[in-house]
Amino acid sequence: MLKKCFPFLLLVVVLLGCSEQTSNEVKWEESATLVLEFTTEELQNMEQVFRMGDNGKLGFGEYGPFIANQGQKYMWHFWGDEDTLTQPFKVLATSKETGEEITVVQLSAQNIAPNNGADHHLPSSMMLTSPGLWSLEAYFGEKLFGTVVVDVMEN
């Protein structure tokens, strides 16, 4: 009986392994944004675009659209535990169109720095090299913390 069931069990294990791998694939849709409206001390109405990650635990403020080969400042915000958020931080970017992979942010371990309701924040500058969709994978230490997909405009 066991000899007859073994091929079936092996197939089930392989299929479960494959289904787990495909669940980690990038969903190539631009990540959602929040638009925060506020009034400055000079009574000017302002808007801030905040790009959210795939898990609700990270995002960054955008100070304009991503434009190919132009660096821009971004303020990352994170929600999580101190042990995770104080590890070295890096962002790996992958282009959907070209498959190019680059490291766009790499920072050493940081002290926790709450900001705007987030448990931690980090300023960064990022530049993506070509137009189209890019997946930004944020890591603390060696562990993937979350992903943001952005649409980069032609220069």
Side-chain angles (χ1 to χ4, degrees), residues 78-92:
F78 309 98
W79 291 265
D81 65 90
E82 186 172 351
D83 289 340
T84 299
L85 300 179
T86 54
Q87 293 183 37
F89 176 67
K90 69 179 173 184
V91 178
L92 302 177

Side-chain angles (χ1 to χ4, degrees), residues 29-87:
E29 295 177 9
E30 190 173 19
S31 296
T33 58
L34 297 173
V35 178
L36 307 173
E37 296 180 4
F38 58 95
T39 303
T40 65
E41 289 180 12
E42 296 82 28
L43 298 177
Q44 294 177 327
N45 292 330
M46 304 288 288
E47 288 185 348
Q48 171 68 52
V49 176
F50 194 79
R51 180 85 45 195
M52 294 300 298
D54 62 346
N55 59 12
K57 296 183 346 183
L58 77 156
F60 54 82
E62 291 184 0
Y63 305 101
F66 277 90
I67 299 174
N69 290 312
Q70 289 187 5
Q72 178 90 354
K73 288 184 180 182
Y74 299 91
M75 183 65 72
W76 288 86
H77 292 75
F78 309 98
W79 291 265
D81 65 90
E82 186 172 351
D83 289 340
T84 299
L85 300 179
T86 54
Q87 293 183 37

